[in-house]
PDB file of all heavy atoms in Angstrom:
ATOM      1  N   MET G 256      34.148 135.227  38.657  1.00 78.00           N
ATOM      2  CA  MET G 256      33.831 135.850  37.373  1.00 78.00           C
ATOM      3  C   MET G 256      32.524 136.635  37.427  1.00 78.00           C
ATOM      4  O   MET G 256      32.410 137.690  36.795  1.00 78.00           O
ATOM      5  CB  MET G 256      33.738 134.759  36.292  1.00 78.00           C
ATOM      6  CG  MET G 256      35.057 134.084  35.968  1.00 78.00           C
ATOM      7  SD  MET G 256      34.867 132.754  34.755  1.00 78.00           S
ATOM      8  CE  MET G 256      34.247 133.647  33.330  1.00 78.00           C
ATOM      9  N   PHE G 257      31.543 136.118  38.166  1.00 73.00           N
ATOM     10  CA  PHE G 257      30.228 136.780  38.229  1.00 73.00           C
ATOM     11  C   PHE G 257      29.818 136.966  39.691  1.00 73.00           C
ATOM     12  O   PHE G 257      28.882 136.298  40.171  1.00 73.00           O
ATOM     13  CB  PHE G 257      29.175 135.942  37.484  1.00 73.00           C
ATOM     14  CG  PHE G 257      29.567 135.573  36.079  1.00 73.00           C
ATOM     15  CD1 PHE G 257      30.042 134.296  35.793  1.00 73.00           C
ATOM     16  CD2 PHE G 257      29.452 136.498  35.054  1.00 73.00           C
ATOM     17  CE1 PHE G 257      30.397 133.954  34.495  1.00 73.00           C
ATOM     18  CE2 PHE G 257      29.800 136.161  33.758  1.00 73.00           C
ATOM     19  CZ  PHE G 257      30.291 134.889  33.472  1.00 73.00           C
ATOM     20  N   PRO G 258      30.491 137.854  40.411  1.00 69.00           N
ATOM     21  CA  PRO G 258      30.198 138.017  41.850  1.00 69.00           C
ATOM     22  C   PRO G 258      28.792 138.525  42.137  1.00 69.00           C
ATOM     23  O   PRO G 258      28.284 138.314  43.241  1.00 69.00           O
ATOM     24  CB  PRO G 258      31.263 139.034  42.291  1.00 69.00           C
ATOM     25  CG  PRO G 258      31.632 139.769  41.041  1.00 69.00           C
ATOM     26  CD  PRO G 258      31.536 138.766  39.940  1.00 69.00           C
ATOM     27  N   LEU G 259      28.147 139.170  41.167  1.00 71.00           N
ATOM     28  CA  LEU G 259      26.804 139.697  41.375  1.00 71.00           C
ATOM     29  C   LEU G 259      25.715 138.660  41.097  1.00 71.00           C
ATOM     30  O   LEU G 259      24.527 138.915  41.344  1.00 71.00           O
ATOM     31  CB  LEU G 259      26.564 140.932  40.503  1.00 71.00           C
ATOM     32  CG  LEU G 259      27.500 142.125  40.757  1.00 71.00           C
ATOM     33  CD1 LEU G 259      27.178 143.249  39.789  1.00 71.00           C
ATOM     34  CD2 LEU G 259      27.382 142.610  42.198  1.00 71.00           C
ATOM     35  N   PHE G 260      26.119 137.508  40.571  1.00 70.00           N
ATOM     36  CA  PHE G 260      25.132 136.475  40.200  1.00 70.00           C
ATOM     37  C   PHE G 260      25.520 135.132  40.819  1.00 70.00           C
ATOM     38  O   PHE G 260      25.432 134.091  40.168  1.00 70.00           O
ATOM     39  CB  PHE G 260      25.042 136.339  38.683  1.00 70.00           C
ATOM     40  CG  PHE G 260      24.702 137.625  37.973  1.00 70.00           C
ATOM     41  CD1 PHE G 260      25.689 138.427  37.426  1.00 70.00           C
ATOM     42  CD2 PHE G 260      23.384 138.056  37.883  1.00 70.00           C
ATOM     43  CE1 PHE G 260      25.383 139.612  36.783  1.00 70.00           C
ATOM     44  CE2 PHE G 260      23.059 139.231  37.232  1.00 70.00           C
ATOM     45  CZ  PHE G 260      24.050 140.016  36.696  1.00 70.00           C
ATOM     46  N   ILE G 261      25.931 135.162  42.079  1.00 73.00           N
ATOM     47  CA  ILE G 261      26.413 133.939  42.720  1.00 73.00           C
ATOM     48  C   ILE G 261      25.329 132.865  42.788  1.00 73.00           C
ATOM     49  O   ILE G 261      25.542 131.704  42.449  1.00 73.00           O
ATOM     50  CB  ILE G 261      26.949 134.246  44.137  1.00 73.00           C
ATOM     51  CG1 ILE G 261      28.182 135.145  44.040  1.00 73.00           C
ATOM     52  CG2 ILE G 261      27.268 132.965  44.887  1.00 73.00           C
ATOM     53  CD1 ILE G 261      28.722 135.565  45.392  1.00 73.00           C
ATOM     54  N   ILE G 262      24.133 133.272  43.213  1.00 76.00           N
ATOM     55  CA  ILE G 262      23.044 132.303  43.351  1.00 76.00           C
ATOM     56  C   ILE G 262      22.667 131.710  41.996  1.00 76.00           C
ATOM     57  O   ILE G 262      22.481 130.488  41.857  1.00 76.00           O
ATOM     58  CB  ILE G 262      21.818 132.966  43.999  1.00 76.00           C
ATOM     59  CG1 ILE G 262      22.166 133.433  45.422  1.00 76.00           C
ATOM     60  CG2 ILE G 262      20.642 131.999  44.040  1.00 76.00           C
ATOM     61  CD1 ILE G 262      21.059 134.181  46.107  1.00 76.00           C
ATOM     62  N   ASP G 263      22.581 132.549  40.966  1.00 78.00           N
ATOM     63  CA  ASP G 263      22.201 132.079  39.631  1.00 78.00           C
ATOM     64  C   ASP G 263      23.250 131.134  39.065  1.00 78.00           C
ATOM     65  O   ASP G 263      22.907 130.104  38.467  1.00 78.00           O
ATOM     66  CB  ASP G 263      22.013 133.274  38.701  1.00 78.00           C
ATOM     67  CG  ASP G 263      20.839 134.147  39.109  1.00 78.00           C
ATOM     68  OD1 ASP G 263      19.872 133.601  39.668  1.00 78.00           O
ATOM     69  OD2 ASP G 263      20.898 135.367  38.877  1.00 78.00           O
ATOM     70  N   THR G 264      24.540 131.478  39.232  1.00 77.00           N
ATOM     71  CA  THR G 264      25.586 130.632  38.684  1.00 77.00           C
ATOM     72  C   THR G 264      25.648 129.279  39.390  1.00 77.00           C
ATOM     73  O   THR G 264      25.864 128.250  38.753  1.00 77.00           O
ATOM     74  CB  THR G 264      26.965 131.325  38.769  1.00 77.00           C
ATOM     75  OG1 THR G 264      27.222 131.703  40.142  1.00 77.00           O
ATOM     76  CG2 THR G 264      27.016 132.555  37.899  1.00 77.00           C
ATOM     77  N   ARG G 265      25.412 129.284  40.685  1.00 78.00           N
ATOM     78  CA  ARG G 265      25.445 128.017  41.435  1.00 78.00           C
ATOM     79  C   ARG G 265      24.253 127.137  41.101  1.00 78.00           C
ATOM     80  O   ARG G 265      24.384 125.917  41.034  1.00 78.00           O
ATOM     81  CB  ARG G 265      25.507 128.289  42.942  1.00 78.00           C
ATOM     82  CG  ARG G 265      26.865 128.800  43.366  1.00 78.00           C
ATOM     83  CD  ARG G 265      26.984 128.970  44.849  1.00 78.00           C
ATOM     84  NE  ARG G 265      28.296 129.490  45.189  1.00 78.00           N
ATOM     85  CZ  ARG G 265      28.642 129.929  46.390  1.00 78.00           C
ATOM     86  NH1 ARG G 265      27.765 129.897  47.366  1.00 78.00           N
ATOM     87  NH2 ARG G 265      29.864 130.392  46.610  1.00 78.00           N
ATOM     88  N   PHE G 266      23.125 127.747  40.859  1.00 82.00           N
ATOM     89  CA  PHE G 266      21.960 126.956  40.465  1.00 82.00           C
ATOM     90  C   PHE G 266      22.190 126.371  39.058  1.00 82.00           C
ATOM     91  O   PHE G 266      21.880 125.201  38.809  1.00 82.00           O
ATOM     92  CB  PHE G 266      20.696 127.812  40.479  1.00 82.00           C
ATOM     93  CG  PHE G 266      19.458 127.055  40.073  1.00 82.00           C
ATOM     94  CD1 PHE G 266      18.937 126.070  40.897  1.00 82.00           C
ATOM     95  CD2 PHE G 266      18.830 127.324  38.882  1.00 82.00           C
ATOM     96  CE1 PHE G 266      17.791 125.358  40.525  1.00 82.00           C
ATOM     97  CE2 PHE G 266      17.687 126.617  38.501  1.00 82.00           C
ATOM     98  CZ  PHE G 266      17.174 125.639  39.335  1.00 82.00           C
ATOM     99  N   SER G 267      22.720 127.187  38.162  1.00 80.00           N
ATOM    100  CA  SER G 267      23.037 126.687  36.816  1.00 80.00           C
ATOM    101  C   SER G 267      24.068 125.578  36.874  1.00 80.00           C
ATOM    102  O   SER G 267      23.964 124.567  36.166  1.00 80.00           O
ATOM    103  CB  SER G 267      23.549 127.845  35.939  1.00 80.00           C
ATOM    104  OG  SER G 267      22.583 128.871  35.845  1.00 80.00           O
ATOM    105  N   SER G 268      25.078 125.768  37.727  1.00 77.00           N
ATOM    106  CA  SER G 268      26.098 124.745  37.908  1.00 77.00           C
ATOM    107  C   SER G 268      25.492 123.449  38.436  1.00 77.00           C
ATOM    108  O   SER G 268      25.836 122.347  37.981  1.00 77.00           O
ATOM    109  CB  SER G 268      27.172 125.246  38.884  1.00 77.00           C
ATOM    110  OG  SER G 268      28.093 124.226  39.207  1.00 77.00           O
ATOM    111  N   TYR G 269      24.543 123.568  39.358  1.00 80.00           N
ATOM    112  CA  TYR G 269      23.864 122.383  39.914  1.00 80.00           C
ATOM    113  C   TYR G 269      23.108 121.635  38.822  1.00 80.00           C
ATOM    114  O   TYR G 269      23.172 120.396  38.746  1.00 80.00           O
ATOM    115  CB  TYR G 269      22.913 122.821  41.017  1.00 80.00           C
ATOM    116  CG  TYR G 269      22.068 121.706  41.571  1.00 80.00           C
ATOM    117  CD1 TYR G 269      22.545 120.851  42.550  1.00 80.00           C
ATOM    118  CD2 TYR G 269      20.771 121.492  41.090  1.00 80.00           C
ATOM    119  CE1 TYR G 269      21.766 119.816  43.045  1.00 80.00           C
ATOM    120  CE2 TYR G 269      19.985 120.459  41.582  1.00 80.00           C
ATOM    121  CZ  TYR G 269      20.483 119.636  42.559  1.00 80.00           C
ATOM    122  OH  TYR G 269      19.722 118.604  43.039  1.00 80.00           O
ATOM    123  N   LEU G 270      22.393 122.360  37.967  1.00 82.00           N
ATOM    124  CA  LEU G 270      21.634 121.731  36.895  1.00 82.00           C
ATOM    125  C   LEU G 270      22.554 120.992  35.929  1.00 82.00           C
ATOM    126  O   LEU G 270      22.267 119.851  35.518  1.00 82.00           O
ATOM    127  CB  LEU G 270      20.807 122.781  36.139  1.00 82.00           C
ATOM    128  CG  LEU G 270      19.625 123.408  36.875  1.00 82.00           C
ATOM    129  CD1 LEU G 270      18.949 124.439  35.985  1.00 82.00           C
ATOM    130  CD2 LEU G 270      18.615 122.354  37.305  1.00 82.00           C
ATOM    131  N   VAL G 271      23.668 121.624  35.575  1.00 79.00           N
ATOM    132  CA  VAL G 271      24.591 121.035  34.601  1.00 79.00           C
ATOM    133  C   VAL G 271      25.313 119.838  35.200  1.00 79.00           C
ATOM    134  O   VAL G 271      25.490 118.799  34.540  1.00 79.00           O
ATOM    135  CB  VAL G 271      25.607 122.094  34.112  1.00 79.00           C
ATOM    136  CG1 VAL G 271      26.694 121.445  33.270  1.00 79.00           C
ATOM    137  CG2 VAL G 271      24.901 123.180  33.317  1.00 79.00           C
ATOM    138  N   ILE G 272      25.730 119.950  36.468  1.00 78.00           N
ATOM    139  CA  ILE G 272      26.556 118.904  37.082  1.00 78.00           C
ATOM    140  C   ILE G 272      25.718 117.719  37.574  1.00 78.00           C
ATOM    141  O   ILE G 272      26.078 116.556  37.371  1.00 78.00           O
ATOM    142  CB  ILE G 272      27.385 119.488  38.248  1.00 78.00           C
ATOM    143  CG1 ILE G 272      28.442 120.451  37.697  1.00 78.00           C
ATOM    144  CG2 ILE G 272      28.051 118.377  39.049  1.00 78.00           C
ATOM    145  CD1 ILE G 272      29.192 121.198  38.787  1.00 78.00           C
ATOM    146  N   GLN G 273      24.585 118.011  38.214  1.00 78.00           N
ATOM    147  CA  GLN G 273      23.826 116.942  38.851  1.00 78.00           C
ATOM    148  C   GLN G 273      22.647 116.425  38.024  1.00 78.00           C
ATOM    149  O   GLN G 273      22.300 115.253  38.109  1.00 78.00           O
ATOM    150  CB  GLN G 273      23.294 117.423  40.215  1.00 78.00           C
ATOM    151  CG  GLN G 273      24.378 117.850  41.186  1.00 78.00           C
ATOM    152  CD  GLN G 273      25.310 116.709  41.563  1.00 78.00           C
ATOM    153  OE1 GLN G 273      24.938 115.550  41.467  1.00 78.00           O
ATOM    154  NE2 GLN G 273      26.506 117.041  41.995  1.00 78.00           N
ATOM    155  N   ILE G 274      22.012 117.297  37.234  1.00 82.00           N
ATOM    156  CA  ILE G 274      20.799 116.911  36.521  1.00 82.00           C
ATOM    157  C   ILE G 274      21.075 116.438  35.094  1.00 82.00           C
ATOM    158  O   ILE G 274      20.605 115.367  34.680  1.00 82.00           O
ATOM    159  CB  ILE G 274      19.790 118.078  36.499  1.00 82.00           C
ATOM    160  CG1 ILE G 274      19.467 118.560  37.927  1.00 82.00           C
ATOM    161  CG2 ILE G 274      18.511 117.667  35.772  1.00 82.00           C
ATOM    162  CD1 ILE G 274      18.755 117.565  38.784  1.00 82.00           C
ATOM    163  N   MET G 275      21.837 117.217  34.341  1.00 80.00           N
ATOM    164  CA  MET G 275      22.034 116.938  32.916  1.00 80.00           C
ATOM    165  C   MET G 275      22.600 115.542  32.631  1.00 80.00           C
ATOM    166  O   MET G 275      22.105 114.851  31.730  1.00 80.00           O
ATOM    167  CB  MET G 275      22.895 118.013  32.286  1.00 80.00           C
ATOM    168  CG  MET G 275      22.182 119.336  32.071  1.00 80.00           C
ATOM    169  SD  MET G 275      20.663 119.156  31.101  1.00 80.00           S
ATOM    170  CE  MET G 275      21.330 118.588  29.541  1.00 80.00           C
ATOM    171  N   PRO G 276      23.662 115.083  33.338  1.00 79.00           N
ATOM    172  CA  PRO G 276      24.183 113.732  33.046  1.00 79.00           C
ATOM    173  C   PRO G 276      23.122 112.652  33.220  1.00 79.00           C
ATOM    174  O   PRO G 276      23.096 111.674  32.482  1.00 79.00           O
ATOM    175  CB  PRO G 276      25.324 113.571  34.063  1.00 79.00           C
ATOM    176  CG  PRO G 276      25.753 114.962  34.357  1.00 79.00           C
ATOM    177  CD  PRO G 276      24.496 115.775  34.331  1.00 79.00           C
ATOM    178  N   ARG G 277      22.226 112.803  34.217  1.00 79.00           N
ATOM    179  CA  ARG G 277      21.156 111.840  34.429  1.00 79.00           C
ATOM    180  C   ARG G 277      20.095 111.926  33.346  1.00 79.00           C
ATOM    181  O   ARG G 277      19.375 110.974  33.074  1.00 79.00           O
ATOM    182  CB  ARG G 277      20.478 112.093  35.779  1.00 79.00           C
ATOM    183  CG  ARG G 277      21.081 111.374  36.942  1.00 79.00           C
ATOM    184  CD  ARG G 277      22.295 112.078  37.498  1.00 79.00           C
ATOM    185  NE  ARG G 277      23.519 111.357  37.277  1.00 79.00           N
ATOM    186  CZ  ARG G 277      24.715 111.862  37.562  1.00 79.00           C
ATOM    187  NH1 ARG G 277      24.817 113.075  38.033  1.00 79.00           N
ATOM    188  NH2 ARG G 277      25.804 111.166  37.333  1.00 79.00           N
ATOM    189  N   PHE G 278      19.975 113.088  32.709  1.00 77.00           N
ATOM    190  CA  PHE G 278      19.022 113.279  31.613  1.00 77.00           C
ATOM    191  C   PHE G 278      19.544 112.660  30.315  1.00 77.00           C
ATOM    192  O   PHE G 278      18.773 112.132  29.508  1.00 77.00           O
ATOM    193  CB  PHE G 278      18.774 114.773  31.428  1.00 77.00           C
ATOM    194  CG  PHE G 278      17.862 115.104  30.267  1.00 77.00           C
ATOM    195  CD1 PHE G 278      16.501 114.847  30.346  1.00 77.00           C
ATOM    196  CD2 PHE G 278      18.369 115.650  29.105  1.00 77.00           C
ATOM    197  CE1 PHE G 278      15.664 115.136  29.278  1.00 77.00           C
ATOM    198  CE2 PHE G 278      17.546 115.951  28.036  1.00 77.00           C
ATOM    199  CZ  PHE G 278      16.193 115.689  28.119  1.00 77.00           C
TER     200      PHE G 278
END
Side-chain angles (χ1 to χ4, degrees):
M256 293 176 61
F257 308 102
L259 299 178
F260 303 97
I261 294 177
I262 297 176
D263 294 329
T264 55
R265 287 185 181 170
F266 180 69
S267 301
S268 174
Y269 174 83
L270 290 179
V271 172
I272 292 173
Q273 300 297 337
I274 304 295
M275 286 305 296
R277 271 82 248 173
F278 177 73

